[in-house]
Amino acid sequence: MTADENNIDMAGEHAGQLGRAETDIVVIGISMAALLLFVGTGGTVMSQIVRSWMGTGEKANSLLETAVLLNIALILFGWRRYHDLSIEVHERKAAEAKARELAETDPLTGLCNRRRMPIEMAKMIEGSQANGMAVAVLMLDLDNFKKINDLNGHEFGDLVLTSIADRLKAAMPSGALIARLGGDEFTCALPYNPSRPDRIDQLVGKIIDQVARPIAKGDVSVDVTVSIGIISSTDGGEDAAVGTSAFAGNLLNRADIAMYHAKKQGRNRSAWFEPRMESELRLRAELEAGIRRGIADGEFVPYYQQQINLKTGDLVGFEMLARWKSPDMGLISPDIFIPIAEDIGLIAELSEDLIRQALEDARTWDPKLVLSVNISPIQLRDPWFAQKLLRILVESGFPPNRLDIEITESCLHENIGAVRTVITSLKNQGIRISLDDFGTGYSSLHQLRSLPFDQIKIDRSFVAELMEEGANPKLVEAIVSIGRGLDMPITAEGIETEEVGDVLRQMGELRGQGFLYGRPENADVTHRRLADQHMLASDRMAEEAGAGEVRPTTPAKRRRKS
Ligand code: C2E
Ligand code: CA
Ligand code: CA
C-alpha cells in the first residue's frame, strides 16, 4: 500500500468512527431516557403488570404494558451496545499499542529500533545531566556477518542476530538502552560517571568477549567478532542542544566514526571517538573526490624506476610506478591513492589510463627494454582483464613480450582458480608475469610451481635487513635458492647501498632495483637518460640502418602534467 492509499484508508476509517460515535450517543441517550422512565414509573406499573400476568390482579392497560416492554427492550439494547462498545474500545487500544510497538521496535530481536533510540537517548541524557552523570553511547557492528549469512543462510544469520541481542541484554546493566539499528548494527547507551571511563572500557571488554563465544545450531558453529565505537555525551558537538534527539543523533554519528576507526585498526576491538577521526574522514572524502577529478583531468602520471642486471650493470627495463600530481596537495605516493582507488571502484580505470601512457612512453625506448607494471588484485578479479590489456597493447602497437605484469603474492589467496585463468591467458598472449613482494604473502611452493611465473621479486623488507649492522643474509639466500630451484629469474628490490649490491651480487645472477641505481623518474627525465645512453628506439633503428645521424625522438606530447 502506498503512503497515499494508507492516508486515504485511515481517513475513511476515521470518518466511520465519527459516524459510529454519533449513533452511539443517540443510542445511549435513548437508553438512558428509557432507564429513567423505567426507574420513575416502572416501580408501580411493573408490579401491576406482573400481578396481572400471574392472574392475581386486574388486567393491566395494554398500552402501558407495551410501553414498559418497549422500555425494557430499550434498556437491554442500550446495555448490549455499551458492552460491544467497550470491547471495541479495548481492541482499538490494543491495536494502537501494537502499531506503536511495531513502529518503535525491531521485530527480530524485540530491541528498540533506529527511530526510537535517539528519543530514548535524549531522555536518558537529560536525566543523567541532572544527576551530574554522562551517557556513554556504544556503536557495535559485527565484523563478519555478511560472510556468515552468505555461507549459512539467512535463518542462521537471524539466529546470530538474536543471540547477540540476548548477550547484549545480559551484559548491559539494567536501565541501559539497547537497539538494533538495522542489519548487523547494534547500539547501546547507559549513564556513567564521566570521571570513570574505565568502567565503560571494562563493560566493552566484556561485550567483546561475550560476542566472541561461538554460536551453534546443529553441526554448524560460527565465531562472530564485533567492532565497537564509543562516545561520551560530553563529546556530542556544538551544533545541537544537549538533551534533544538531534544531539543524540550526533552522538550516534560520532560513535559510528569511532566504530569505523576500530574496524580499520583490525576489527574485534573498540575505540573511543576522537575529533581527529572526523578530520581523517573528511580528508578521506577529499581524497576520494580529488581522485575522481584527477583521473578526468589527467593528473595521474607514470614514473619509471630502472631495473639492472646486477652482474653486468646493464639496464634491462623499468618498473612503472604511479604518481598523482595533485594541484592542491603536490606529488602523492601510490601507497595513499591506490588503496582508495581500489575501495571506490576506480582502480581499473586509473590503471588502464596509466598503462596507456606508459606504453606510449616505452615505445620510444630501446626495444630490448622491458616495461613492468603493477596490477591490483581487484583487477585480476575481472574475467575480462586479459582481453582488456591485450586491446590496450594492440591499440598502442606495443609488443606483448616487452610487457611484464607484477602481481603481489596476496592475489594468490583470493581465488586461485580465477587468477590462474587470467594469468594463463596473459601468458598465452606472450605477456610476462612476475610475482611481486615475494616472501610477504606466505604462498606455498606448490602454488609457485603450479603458476607460470617468469620472475619473482624479493620484497624490499628482506633486502633492507641486509643493510642492518651484522646482518645475516641467510633469509635472502634461502629465497634466492627457492627461485633458482623453480628456475625463475629473481629481482631484488630496494637496494640502497653499494654494500647490499655487493652481497647480492655474490649470490649469483640477479636483477636489482633500488635508489642505488636510480629513483623513480618521470617520462621526460627517463627519456633524456636513455637518450644519453643511446638507448632509444631511434638509436637502435639508426644502428640497424647503419646510418650516422637520426633525429632524436621525444616522448609523445599528451595531456598530462609530468
Ligand atoms: P612496489 O611494487 O613494491 O614498488 C616498489 C616501491 O619501492 C616503490 O614505491 C618504489 O619507489 C620504492 N623503492 C624503490 N627503490 C627503493 C629503495 O631503494 N628504497 C626504498 N625504501 N624504497 C624503494 P612507490 O613508488 O611509492 O610505490 C608503492 C607501491 O604502490 C608499489 O610497491 C606498488 O605496490 C604500488 N603501485 C605503484 N604504482 C602502481 C600502479 O600503477 N598500480 C597498482 N595497482 N599499484 C601501484
Ligand atoms: Ca612492484
Ligand atoms: Ca615490491
Side-chain angles (χ1 to χ4, degrees):
M1 193 187 280
T2 66
D4 275 353
E5 280 172 302
N6 206 349
N7 283 343
I8 292 167
D9 230 58
M10 289 195 6
E13 196 179 314
H14 196 59
Q17 280 170 3
L18 274 182
R20 226 176 302 138
E22 273 163 23
T23 26
D24 284 339
I25 289 171
V26 175
V27 167
I28 289 167
I30 294 174
S31 310
M32 285 302 286
L35 192 64
L36 286 174
L37 201 66
F38 184 73
V39 170
T41 58
T44 43
V45 177
M46 198 58 203
S47 56
Q48 204 181 336
I49 292 172
V50 170
R51 260 182 274 121
S52 119
W53 283 349
M54 291 171 67
T56 53
E58 60 185 86
K59 193 169 167 18
N61 179 332
S62 69
L63 192 63
L64 207 61
E65 204 177 281
T66 317
V68 169
L69 286 177
L70 192 64
N71 202 278
I72 292 171
L74 277 175
I75 291 169
L76 287 175
F77 174 64
W79 182 83
R80 174 86 223 183
R81 186 64 205 127
Y82 172 79
H83 180 74
D84 285 354
L85 204 64
S86 39
I87 290 176
E88 206 178 306
V89 166
H90 184 76
E91 280 172 355
R92 200 181 307 154
K93 272 198 180 140
E96 276 168 8
K98 184 83 198 153
R100 205 174 321 115
E101 190 189 306
L102 282 177
E104 292 183 342
T105 56
D106 166 45
L108 180 67
T109 59
L111 297 174
C112 233
N113 67 8
R114 180 182 286 280
R115 198 154 146 197
R116 181 162 135 224
M117 188 62 174
I119 302 167
E120 297 295 328
M121 275 170 67
K123 286 184 211 155
M124 180 182 271
I125 293 168
E126 212 171 22
S128 315
Q129 227 186 4
N131 303 327
M133 299 280 273
V135 170
V137 180
L138 319 182
M139 180 68 78
L140 301 89
D141 190 287
L142 304 184
D143 293 325
N144 41 1
F145 183 69
K146 191 181 165 333
K147 215 169 180 178
I148 291 172
N149 229 0
D150 291 349
L151 283 177
N152 305 293
H154 287 265
E155 214 170 291
F156 195 87
D158 284 355
L159 173 72
V160 169
L161 294 173
T162 47
S163 311
I164 300 295
D166 291 343
R167 291 177 193 185
L168 282 177
K169 282 181 216 161
M172 296 300 284
S174 68
L177 295 169
I178 311 175
R180 175 170 170 239
L181 300 187
D184 58 346
E185 245 188 357
F186 294 87
T187 182
C188 308
L190 70 159
Y192 81 110
N193 178 346
S195 61
R196 296 301 305 270
D198 53 307
R199 300 237 167 102
I200 297 299
D201 286 327
Q202 268 168 20
L203 176 70
V204 166
K206 185 167 137 196
I207 293 175
I208 290 179
D209 290 345
Q210 288 300 313
V211 169
R213 277 169 38 218
I215 295 173
K217 186 185 181 195
D219 40 5
V220 183
S221 168
V222 297
D223 293 313
V224 185
T225 60
V226 64
S227 299
I228 305 180
I230 318 167
I231 187 163
S232 167
S233 57
T234 49
D235 279 337
E238 303 70 36
D239 40 352
V242 180
T244 60
S245 48
F247 181 81
N250 280 354
L251 287 177
L252 287 171
N253 284 339
R254 289 186 161 183
D256 202 45
I257 291 174
M259 186 275 293
Y260 180 73
H261 184 84
K263 288 238 186 230
K264 264 204 332 209
Q265 295 300 305
R267 307 165 151 212
N268 193 24
R269 65 193 65 210
S270 66
W272 282 83
F273 172 81
E274 288 169 33
R276 75 175 164 88
M277 293 175 183
E278 221 161 21
S279 35
E280 273 169 21
L281 212 66
R282 214 171 295 130
L283 174 67
R284 162 88 191 199
E286 275 168 27
L287 284 171
E288 285 182 11
I291 290 171
R292 287 179 205 281
R293 230 184 3 248
I295 295 180
D297 294 352
E299 290 168 11
F300 290 88
V301 293
Y303 271 50
Y304 302 99
Q305 188 178 34
Q306 304 172 55
Q307 296 182 320
I308 306 288
N309 177 327
L310 289 186
K311 201 166 173 191
T312 61
D314 289 343
L315 178 65
V316 291
F318 289 93
E319 176 176 5
M320 187 266 276
L321 293 159
R323 295 289 181 270
W324 178 14
K325 302 200 104 187
S326 156
D328 326 314
M329 294 173 278
L331 198 64
I332 298 177
S333 139
D335 286 330
I336 303 213
F337 64 79
I338 297 281
I340 302 179
E342 287 176 338
D343 278 359
I344 61 178
L346 289 178
I347 186 65
E349 191 182 330
L350 176 59
S351 170
E352 285 164 25
D353 179 49
L354 285 160
I355 293 173
R356 274 203 183 84
Q357 297 186 47
L359 293 179
E360 224 177 290
D361 292 333
R363 265 191 340 156
T364 68
W365 304 344
D366 188 317
K368 69 173 192 246
L369 295 175
V370 170
L371 171 71
S372 299
V373 298
N374 293 285
I375 295 298
S376 148
I378 307 228
Q379 288 172 279
L380 284 187
R381 280 183 213 155
D382 176 3
W384 298 103
F385 175 70
Q387 275 81 345
K388 286 180 182 167
L389 195 63
L390 198 69
R391 188 165 151 198
I392 297 175
L393 280 170
V394 170
E395 282 168 2
S396 313
F398 194 84
N401 62 359
R402 282 184 62 200
L403 183 68
D404 173 54
I405 298 293
E406 296 191 1
I407 64 172
T408 54
E409 249 191 313
S410 55
C411 291
L412 306 184
H413 303 301
E414 294 232 334
N415 178 351
I416 188 82
V419 173
R420 188 192 305 279
T421 309
V422 173
I423 292 182
T424 309
S425 54
L426 290 171
K427 283 286 299 184
N428 288 342
Q429 310 295 341
I431 296 167
R432 306 179 189 203
I433 319 282
S434 295
L435 183 59
D436 204 358
D437 298 348
F438 180 67
T440 57
Y442 314 102
S443 51
S444 69
L445 286 176
H446 171 74
Q447 276 176 339
L448 274 186
R449 229 186 16 206
S450 71
L451 288 165
F453 292 112
D454 295 289
Q455 181 186 213
I456 54 183
K457 298 185 77 177
I458 305 179
D459 189 65
R460 69 170 190 268
S461 58
F462 299 111
V463 176
E465 275 177 33
L466 295 177
M467 277 187 276
E468 281 163 22
E469 191 102 11
N472 183 350
K474 285 250 151 46
L475 192 53
V476 177
E477 272 171 5
I479 299 176
V480 169
S481 72
I482 291 174
R484 200 138 298 137
L486 294 166
D487 210 12
M488 283 182 203
I490 297 156
T491 299
E493 302 184 306
I495 306 173
E496 293 186 1
T497 63
E498 290 287 356
E499 293 75 40
V500 171
D502 288 342
V503 172
L504 289 166
R505 242 189 309 279
Q506 280 157 25
M507 293 183 192
E509 192 148 320
L510 287 182
R511 290 181 198 158
Q513 187 181 340
F515 294 166
L516 176 63
Y517 308 103
R519 294 192 174 245
E521 294 165 331
N522 72 25
D524 287 337
V525 176
T526 305
H527 192 83
R528 278 202 294 279
R529 173 184 295 287
L530 290 175
D532 290 346
Q533 298 176 14
H534 304 290
M535 287 187 82
L536 288 176
S538 51
D539 297 314
R540 181 49 59 93
M541 267 150 53
E543 229 172 71
E544 279 166 7
E549 285 290 301
V550 170
R551 265 184 305 127
T553 53
T554 47
K557 288 284 168 239
R558 54 171 176 254
R559 70 171 177 120
R560 71 177 190 196
K561 309 185 172 171
S562 53

